[in-house]
Amino acid sequence: MPHEHHILNWHIANLEYANAACMHELSLAHWDQDDPNELQGHHCFLPGGNLRLVTALAEGVPVFYSTAALQIAHGQNGVEVTCTNGKVFRADVALCTMPLGVLKSGSIQFEPELPGRKQHAIRSLGPMPQEGCCGSEQGVTRTVAMLFPHAFWGDGIDTFGRVADSTGRRGEYFLFY
């Protein structure tokens, strides 16, 4: 494969990653519509990991382990969450933050059912393997953070990419920042 095709595949992988869709599903007219909404400023990693931030935010908040939700029912009297271990939690409101994969699995029953538009969004987002596009795990992101004692790549460079040997592998580990 010529060098230019490797570079083009890297840019296509970046577009597919940024838009969570294969290239053939993107609109030429609107592919960059979210650019003005991107986060401004420098990216950063927390030394010691994100757990330090989560631990600080959760201070004084009860945390229950091995307590997976089985059913979430809501109505005029508030919310009731029934868990797989038999525990039941009642509150005026609930904020659901489960991973997309849990929602896609259908392991949590909602009463009443989620509105059709939300069910459609759940079905439409995330991993959707498609032959010949982005490899076999479209929508799956793997993040590995590495902290080096010094920037061996030089000042002023905050990202670098990896070009794949083939079109079918163009989205695999293509971007490092």
Side-chain angles (χ1 to χ4, degrees):
M1 178 183 297
H3 178 70
E4 293 82 10
H5 287 152
H6 284 94
I7 301 301
L8 178 62
N9 274 333
W10 184 90
H11 284 286
I12 291 171
N14 194 37
L15 279 173
E16 290 171 336
Y17 165 76
N19 291 283
C22 292
M23 190 68 172
H24 71 272
E25 296 174 326
L26 298 178
S27 163
L28 182 59
H30 303 290
W31 68 269
D32 64 346
Q33 67 183 353
D34 286 336
D35 281 359
N37 301 319
E38 288 188 11
L39 297 174
Q40 301 299 312
H42 297 288
H43 294 284
C44 70
F45 292 102
L46 297 174
N50 292 344
L51 183 59
R52 294 177 61 196
L53 177 63
V54 172
T55 301
L57 291 172
E59 192 171 313
V61 176
V63 176
F64 299 91
Y65 297 97
S66 300
T67 311
L70 182 63
Q71 180 184 45
I72 301 173
H74 68 91
Q76 292 180 350
N77 296 324
V79 181
E80 183 175 280
V81 179
T82 305
C83 300
T84 55
N85 63 4
K87 288 187 180 184
V88 177
F89 297 91
R90 293 176 183 82
D92 294 332
V93 296
L95 174 65
C96 298
T97 61
M98 67 274 303
L100 180 61
V102 171
L103 290 171
K104 287 176 101 51
S105 75
S107 62
I108 300 175
Q109 179 185 356
F110 289 90
E111 287 293 328
E113 283 188 356
L114 293 174
R117 63 185 172 81
K118 290 186 180 181
Q119 291 182 37
H120 175 73
I122 291 167
R123 284 191 307 271
S124 300
L125 293 171
M128 295 176 280
Q130 297 185 16
E131 191 74 27
C133 170
C134 322
S136 62
E137 295 185 272
Q138 168 69 9
V140 175
T141 301
R142 289 188 178 92
T143 301
V144 177
M146 297 179 278
L147 182 61
F148 296 97
H150 64 281
F152 62 86
W153 51 87
D155 294 336
I157 298 173
D158 63 359
T159 61
F160 44 98
R162 172 195 161 270
V163 294
D165 294 337
S166 67
T167 301
R169 300 188 73 179
R170 70 177 171 232
E172 295 178 4
Y173 307 104
F174 76 98
L175 181 62
F176 298 86
Y177 65 94

